[in-house]
């Protein structure tokens, strides 16, 4: 047997294609993570300005003209309104200009990302220096001392996402990559739902009462976890039903390669390049991270949109999984009928 024959025997064409697919995922992983995270620069950060009426326009224009465009400033009526908008996650920080003294106040929210809060303070200090003004920082929504750099929300959601696609992958490949019939698809969906509930509660208990890493309602986090796990699991089942074992790779591409670096976890969304900032909120890791931080630090504000995103993934995944199983059932029926008529006896 020649070397070529040995190679063909050892590595089938299907295996070669799968290896090439894995190589592509590896390179995309590197490109996505490094591309998103190698140079975190704040860009167009929503930022409020509270200043005396005669100076407000000038301060807004000054901040808007900073090199690199780090801020997207807008006038705010007062400090109380600025705090309210930060807590509602409409803006990420604010400058309160003192009408009498030379010390101004920067309002930040480290619960939304410690790196961003620190960057905002540094930007304002540099902008205020030439005007001979000093700055003090007030953290409106501080991150927990046990939540280093505000990363616990992100890691929690990543864990839920990993559990979702791993559970779905195991359910699918345990009896073939595609659901054989509608009954099996329904059973897998039910198992996925039970697993999601267990995973959501388990994650919320670990990160809250056990480790004390995140404040906020344990049950709210558990509900978020169940929805996140189910959304990721069902879209993974749908991709596997559509493309077979390749669906596992597509789920990794969607959730891990595209979703994790764009989630605003390591660096909040305003610090990511435009592409990752655009796709992050539409993917489960980004939507889940936003909601987890809102529950923990922002009184549950601004969660409707991200919850709708997660719900949409869950609904689409469930519907596709069930519809594709019905299509498979229909395609198998003629073969089953032919087998029965060819090998069975005539009716009495």
């Amino acid at each position: 047997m020649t070397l070529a024959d040995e190679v063909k025997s050892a590595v089938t064409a299907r295996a070669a294609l799968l290896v090439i697919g894995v190589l592509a995922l590896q390179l995309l992983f590197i490109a996505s993570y490094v591309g998103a995270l190698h140079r975190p620069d704040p860009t167009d950060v929503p930022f409020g300005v509270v200043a005396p009426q005669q100076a407000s326009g000038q301060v807004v224009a000054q901040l808007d003209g900073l090199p690199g465009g780090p801020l997207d400033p807008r006038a705010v009526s007062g400090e109380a309104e600025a705090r309210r908008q930060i807590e509602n996650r409409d803006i990420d920080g604010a400058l309160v200009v003192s009408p009498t003294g030379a010390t101004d106040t920067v309002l930040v929210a480290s619960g939304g990302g410690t790196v961003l809060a620190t960057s905002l303070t540094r930007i304002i200090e540099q902008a205020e220096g030439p005007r001979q003004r000093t700055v003090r920082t007030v953290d409106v929504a501080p991150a927990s001392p046990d939540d280093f750099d505000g990363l616990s929300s992100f890691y929690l959601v990543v864990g839920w996402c990993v559990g979702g696609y791993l559970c779905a992958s195991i359910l699918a490949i345990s009896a073939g990559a595609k659901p054989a019939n509608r009954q099996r698809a329904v059973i897998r969906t039910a198992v996925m739902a039970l697993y999601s509930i267990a995973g959501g509660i388990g994650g919320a208990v670990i990160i809250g009462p056990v480790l004390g890493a995140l404040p906020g309602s344990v049950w709210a986090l558990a509900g978020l976890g169940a929805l996140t796990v189910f959304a990721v699991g069902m879209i993974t089942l749908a991709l596997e039903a559509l493309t077979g074992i390749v669906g596992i790779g597509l789920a990794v591409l969607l959730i891990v390669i595209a979703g994790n670096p764009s989630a605003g976890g390591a660096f909040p969304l305003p610090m990511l390049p435009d592409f990752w900032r655009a796709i992050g909120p539409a993917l489960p890791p980004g939507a889940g991270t936003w909601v987890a931080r809102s529950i923990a630090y922002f009184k549950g504000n601004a969660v409707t949109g991200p919850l709708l995103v997660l719900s949409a993934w869950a609904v689409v995944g469930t519907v596709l999984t069930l519809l594709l199983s019905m299509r498979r059932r229909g395609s198998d029926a003629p073969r089953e009928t032919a087998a029965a008529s060819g090998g069975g006896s005539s009716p009495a």
Side-chain angles (χ1 to χ4, degrees):
M1 182 178 289
T2 65
L3 178 61
D5 292 332
E6 289 284 1
V7 171
K8 290 179 181 179
S9 175
V11 183
T12 64
R14 183 170 181 266
L17 289 174
L18 290 174
V19 168
I20 293 172
V22 170
L23 175 62
L25 287 177
Q26 172 185 303
L27 298 179
L28 285 171
F29 183 99
I30 295 170
S32 183
Y33 277 74
V34 177
L37 307 177
H38 76 290
R39 196 176 67 182
D41 294 324
T43 306
D44 293 328
V45 180
F47 193 79
V49 173
V50 180
Q53 186 173 2
Q54 65 273 18
S56 179
Q58 179 183 353
V59 176
V60 169
Q62 178 194 6
L63 296 180
D64 194 34
L66 292 175
L71 303 179
D72 178 17
R74 71 284 309 267
V76 178
S77 60
E79 182 175 346
E81 174 63 15
R83 288 174 175 268
R84 186 191 69 81
Q85 290 191 25
I86 292 173
E87 291 177 351
N88 286 342
R89 309 197 75 178
D90 296 324
I91 58 177
D92 291 306
L95 171 63
V96 181
V97 178
S98 172
T100 56
T103 300
D104 298 332
T105 302
V106 180
L107 304 178
V108 296
S110 61
T114 304
V115 176
L116 179 59
T118 303
S119 296
L120 290 177
T121 300
R122 185 181 67 251
I123 290 169
I124 297 302
E125 286 175 344
Q126 293 173 350
E128 294 276 75
R131 299 171 56 211
Q132 304 300 314
R133 302 187 69 85
T134 58
V135 173
R136 71 183 185 98
T137 301
V138 175
D139 201 339
V140 175
S144 166
D146 296 317
D147 181 13
F148 178 74
D149 274 355
L151 290 173
S152 297
S153 301
F154 172 59
Y155 291 138
L156 173 64
V157 172
V158 167
W160 281 330
C161 290
V162 169
Y165 69 73
L166 285 181
C167 178
S169 300
I170 291 170
L171 288 173
I173 65 177
S174 62
K178 295 184 179 181
N181 51 49
R182 182 173 56 189
Q183 182 180 15
R184 182 177 295 167
V186 170
I187 292 172
R188 289 175 179 173
T189 300
V191 171
M192 196 70 242
L194 293 174
Y195 175 88
S196 300
I197 294 170
I201 294 174
V205 170
I206 289 172
I207 207 162
V210 175
L211 297 179
L214 280 185
S217 168
V218 172
W219 289 111
L221 286 173
L224 168 65
L227 178 58
T228 302
V229 175
F230 188 72
V232 172
M234 291 313 300
I235 203 66
T236 302
L237 283 177
L239 290 171
E240 289 166 340
L242 184 64
T243 63
I245 195 172
V246 175
I248 297 175
L250 294 177
V252 171
L253 175 63
L254 184 69
I255 303 301
V256 179
I257 295 176
N260 286 353
S262 65
F267 299 110
L269 288 176
M271 303 188 74
L272 298 180
D274 290 342
F275 173 75
W276 286 269
R277 186 193 302 198
I279 66 172
L283 297 174
T289 299
W290 178 278
V291 176
R293 282 179 171 160
S294 289
I295 292 171
Y297 299 117
F298 296 93
K299 304 176 183 178
N301 292 325
V303 299
T304 301
L307 287 177
L308 288 175
V309 168
L310 291 170
S311 299
W313 283 106
V315 170
V316 170
T318 302
V319 170
L320 282 177
T321 299
L322 296 177
L323 287 179
L324 290 169
S325 71
M326 293 171 65
R327 185 186 70 176
R328 178 71 185 274
R329 177 71 174 176
S331 65
D332 288 346
R335 289 194 294 269
E336 293 173 0
T337 302
S341 60
S345 58
S346 301

